[in-house]
Amino acid sequence: MDDISAEVARRRTFAIISHPDAGKTTLTEKLLLYGGALQLAGSVVARKNQSASASDWMELERKRGISVSSTVLQFDYAGHRVNLLDTPGHKDFSEDTYRVLTAVDAAVMVIDAGKGIESQTLKLFEVCRLRGIPILTFFNKLDRPSRDLLGLLDELESTLQIHPFPVNWPMGDGERFRGVYDRTTRMAHLFERTARGAYKAPVQTAGLSDPLVREALDADSYARFVEQIELLETAGPAFDPADALKGGTTPVFFGSAVNNFGVQLLLDALLEFAPPPAPRRSAGRSVAPVSDSFSGFVFKIQGNMDPRHRDRVAFVRVCSGRFTRDVPVIHARTGRSYRLANAHRIFGREREIIDEAYAGDVLGLVGYSDFEIGDTLTQDPSVVYDEIPRFAPECFARLVNPNPSKYKPFAKGVEQLLREGVVRSLKPRDAGDAKAVLLSAVGPLQFEVVQFRLESEYGVESRLEPTAWTAARWVGPKTPAGALDAVGLPMQCARVYDESGAEMILFPNEWSLRYLSESHPELELLRLPPAPAARR
C-alpha cells in the first residue's frame, strides 16, 4: 500500500481546454518540450518528421492543421509522472473533449489574451465546474497586442464566477513582451526568442529593481508594469490553495507558447497546484486511488491508430490500485473475465507495452473488441463507474454507399467507426433506404471525418445526404404506452431508435420541439437517454 500511495502522489493527470486558435496544440507541444518528451518542438523523440504535431496523428489533422481526436501524452518531469490528455479544440468535437474531462484531475484553460473568453472556452469551463475539476488559466499570445490585463482578470471573474489569482505577471506585451514576473518568488524571468520556438528559450532571472529588468523594458512599459504589480500586491486577494483545489480560485499565468515564454513556469505550477488522483464514486460509495484492487473505466475508443494492423485501442483511466501486465479483471457490463496482456502506453502514434500503472495513468488496451465507452474494468465486482456523459445529437445525415461492389468494406468501415462512439447510427421506425446509414453527431464536421476515414483507411467512397432535422429527444419511460401512436407529430418530424433500441424523435427546428412538448405534456421528452432499466 505504501508503494501505491507514493506512486499515486506523484501522478498529475490533466487536459488542456480552449476555444479554437487560442494556442492549445502549440502549448501542448511546448509542455512536452519542457517536460523532456520532445527534443524539438513539433517532433517526437527519435522521429524525423518535424512537420506534424506529436498529438495530431491522423492524416486529416495534419492536412487541416487542427486537432479532431484525443490522445494521451505521458512523460516524467521533476519526480512526477505527468499524463497530458490532448483534446480537440473544434466545437464539433466537443463530445470527445467532454469524455476526456471525465478522465482528468485538473485542466489548463488557455485564453487568447487579445480576445478574452470565447464561446467554446465557456462551454468547456462549465463542464469542468460541473465535475469539480480545478483549473489553471494560461493567458496566451502575449507576443501580440493584448487586451487590458486587469480587464481580462475582471472578465474571468465576472463571466466564469471564479476568483483569479495571478501567480505571475507579464512584462510588456506585443513586440515589447520580454518575460514574466513570478509573484511567489519575486523574481523576473526574462526570455530570449529562439528560431520558430523550436528550442527552450534562454532565460535570465533578476529582482524587480535589478538594472537587467529596467533595461529590458522601455520606460513606459516598465512604469506600467511596476504600477500593476504594486496594485496586485496591495489590493489583490491572497491566494487560497484549498479553494483552488475545489475550483473556486484559478491560478493565472501569462506567456507566449509559440515563443516558449512562461511555459516552464506553468509546467512547474501544474506539479504544485494540480491535485494527485482523487477518489471516484461507484454505486454511492468512494473508491480510493490507493485501494488494493485495480479498477478503471473506458473513456475513449479509437480505431486504426496503426493503419498497418487495423487495430482498435480502448483508452482506460486507471482509478484505483496497481495495474500489472496480465492482471485478471472483470468486465462489469458483461461479467466476463479478461487478462489485460496487451496494454500500451500511447504517445501520439508511438506505443510501448506497459508492465505497471497506477491511478491517474491511462492504458491503451489494444484488440479488445468487446470493450465500449463507459465500461468498467475491475478486480472488485462491486465497483462500477458511471462517468461518461451522453449528449443529444444536433446534426443528422444519411451516408450512402455509391458503389454496391464495395458493400462489405463499406459496412465494415462504418461499423468500426461507429464503435468509437462519436458518430452514432439511428434506425428509422420505417424501413428507409437500405443502402443508406442514418448518422447523428454533435457537430457536422464529424461526418466529414467519417467520410475521410472511410476512404483513407478502408478504401471506399461515400456520399453524404443532408437532412432537415436539427434536434432530437429521447422518449422517456413516463410516456404512456401507445401515446405516440395517437399523437400527430409536427411536419418533418421522425421516430427513430438509437443503437441501444431506445426510441427518439427527430425535429426540424426548436419550434416543432416546443410545440409538441406544450401540446402533449403527457409525452416525456428527454435530453439524455433513459437508463436501460427504465426503457419500455
Side-chain angles (χ1 to χ4, degrees):
M1 183 71 76
D2 289 343
D3 290 343
I4 295 178
S5 298
E7 289 294 337
V8 170
R10 74 185 193 95
R11 258 65 180 176
R12 297 293 185 272
T13 303
F14 71 99
I16 300 179
I17 61 174
S18 76
H19 191 85
D21 299 323
K24 175 187 67 65
T25 300
T26 302
L27 180 60
T28 299
E29 291 283 349
K30 300 313 177 69
L31 289 172
L32 296 176
L33 175 67
Y34 277 86
L38 301 184
Q39 293 176 340
L40 184 71
S43 64
V44 180
V45 172
R47 289 186 67 88
K48 295 181 180 179
N49 179 12
Q50 298 174 7
S51 63
S53 163
S55 59
D56 289 351
W57 57 269
M58 286 202 303
E59 183 182 357
L60 177 61
E61 295 178 306
R62 295 196 297 272
K63 283 186 174 181
R64 281 204 167 215
I66 61 171
S67 297
V68 299
S69 66
S70 305
T71 191
V72 182
L73 306 160
Q74 186 184 79
F75 57 93
D76 290 327
Y77 177 75
H80 290 75
R81 174 65 53 87
V82 180
N83 296 288
L84 195 170
L85 277 62
D86 185 36
T87 64
H90 196 285
K91 64 181 178 63
D92 283 8
F93 302 89
S94 55
E95 186 169 6
D96 197 22
T97 301
Y98 295 156
R99 290 172 179 169
V100 169
L101 291 175
T102 67
V104 302
D105 303 303
V108 173
M109 180 169 60
V110 183
I111 298 175
D112 185 331
K115 297 178 180 178
I117 297 171
E118 298 176 86
S119 57
Q120 184 69 359
T121 312
L122 181 58
K123 290 180 181 178
L124 294 170
F125 172 81
E126 291 299 336
V127 174
C128 291
R129 166 166 280 165
L130 288 172
R131 300 194 59 81
I133 298 173
I135 291 178
L136 289 78
T137 299
F138 183 75
F139 280 107
N140 192 24
K141 300 188 180 181
L142 265 297
D143 57 308
R144 303 178 184 180
S146 72
R147 288 174 45 186
D148 175 70
L149 299 176
L150 295 175
L152 287 172
L153 294 181
D154 288 340
E155 180 185 59
L156 199 63
E157 184 161 22
S158 61
T159 303
L160 304 183
Q161 300 298 303
I162 191 171
H163 303 301
F165 180 84
V167 177
N168 60 36
W169 196 254
M171 304 169 63
D173 72 324
E175 294 182 355
R176 296 181 292 181
F177 181 46
R178 296 293 181 265
V180 294
Y181 173 72
D182 188 338
R183 295 179 61 203
T184 60
T185 62
R186 301 184 183 278
M187 296 296 289
H189 294 247
L190 302 169
F191 301 99
E192 295 179 29
R193 303 192 182 203
T194 61
R196 297 182 302 278
Y199 301 96
K200 294 181 181 179
V203 60
Q204 292 179 290
T205 58
L208 194 59
S209 59
D210 192 291
L212 190 66
V213 176
R214 290 179 176 271
E215 293 168 5
L217 298 171
D218 60 77
D220 289 343
S221 296
Y222 180 77
R224 189 181 310 111
F225 164 68
V226 171
E227 180 183 2
Q228 290 171 336
I229 290 296
E230 290 177 350
L231 181 63
L232 290 173
E233 295 299 334
T234 56
F239 180 61
D240 184 351
D243 194 51
L245 288 175
K246 293 187 297 185
T249 295
T250 177
V252 176
F253 303 84
F254 295 84
S256 167
V258 72
N259 291 307
N260 305 332
F261 288 18
V263 173
Q264 183 161 0
L265 290 170
L266 176 64
L267 181 56
D268 291 339
L270 269 167
L271 306 185
E272 180 180 358
F273 297 124
R280 295 265 171 165
R281 303 296 296 176
S282 167
R285 68 185 178 94
S286 179
V287 180
V290 296
S291 168
D292 286 329
S293 62
F294 164 80
S295 70
F297 66 91
V298 179
F299 67 91
K300 178 179 174 61
I301 290 175
Q302 188 71 62
N304 301 333
M305 290 191 73
D306 186 344
R308 297 170 297 179
H309 302 297
R310 288 279 187 268
D311 60 3
R312 181 174 183 270
V313 180
F315 288 90
V316 175
R317 154 73 191 228
V318 180
C319 297
S320 70
R322 175 192 285 116
F323 166 85
T324 55
R325 196 174 176 188
D326 288 322
V327 63
V329 299
I330 297 169
H331 183 217
R333 180 170 53 83
T334 63
R336 294 181 60 183
S337 297
Y338 291 85
R339 286 191 176 273
L340 301 183
N342 204 12
H344 292 75
R345 177 180 295 111
I346 307 294
F347 188 98
R349 282 181 179 261
E350 303 295 328
R351 63 182 64 177
E352 61 177 292
I353 291 288
I354 291 180
D355 292 317
E356 190 175 67
Y358 296 87
D361 290 338
V362 174
L363 309 174
L365 302 181
V366 180
Y368 297 88
S369 59
D370 290 345
F371 296 172
E372 296 180 1
I373 291 173
D375 283 354
T376 296
L377 304 174
T378 177
Q379 290 180 304
D380 180 354
S382 69
V383 173
V384 180
Y385 298 109
D386 183 19
E387 298 276 1
I388 302 298
R390 178 80 182 273
F391 301 91
E394 300 175 4
C395 301
F396 308 87
R398 291 185 177 89
L399 189 70
V400 180
N401 174 20
N403 189 347
S405 66
K406 293 277 190 176
Y407 171 77
K408 286 188 176 179
F410 176 85
K412 180 181 179 181
V414 170
E415 188 270 337
Q416 292 191 4
L417 293 177
L418 288 175
R419 295 190 69 179
E420 296 180 7
V422 178
V423 171
R424 299 176 181 273
S425 66
L426 301 175
K427 181 180 179 182
R429 194 163 182 263
D430 302 322
D433 185 356
K435 296 181 181 179
V437 181
L438 179 57
L439 300 180
S440 66
V442 172
L445 193 53
Q446 294 281 12
F447 300 141
E448 184 179 335
V449 172
V450 168
Q451 283 192 288
F452 184 93
R453 293 183 63 187
L454 278 174
E455 185 170 2
S456 63
E457 298 173 20
Y458 298 92
V460 294
E461 295 181 355
S462 61
R463 185 176 72 250
L464 205 62
E465 296 180 349
T467 69
W469 304 304
T470 62
R473 291 294 184 269
W474 277 270
V475 179
K478 295 180 182 179
T479 300
L484 267 180
D485 295 325
V487 168
L489 295 181
M491 291 286 291
Q492 295 185 304
C493 289
R495 293 169 66 178
V496 299
Y497 300 97
D498 70 9
E499 66 273 15
S500 68
E503 187 168 10
M504 304 175 69
I505 302 176
L506 308 184
F507 299 89
N509 49 53
E510 286 295 326
W511 180 90
S512 60
L513 169 57
R514 187 168 58 252
Y515 173 81
L516 184 64
S517 300
E518 294 174 355
S519 302
H520 297 279
E522 73 275 14
L523 302 180
E524 184 184 27
L525 302 179
L526 306 175
R527 288 181 175 270
L528 301 178
R535 293 172 186 164
R536 294 179 288 111

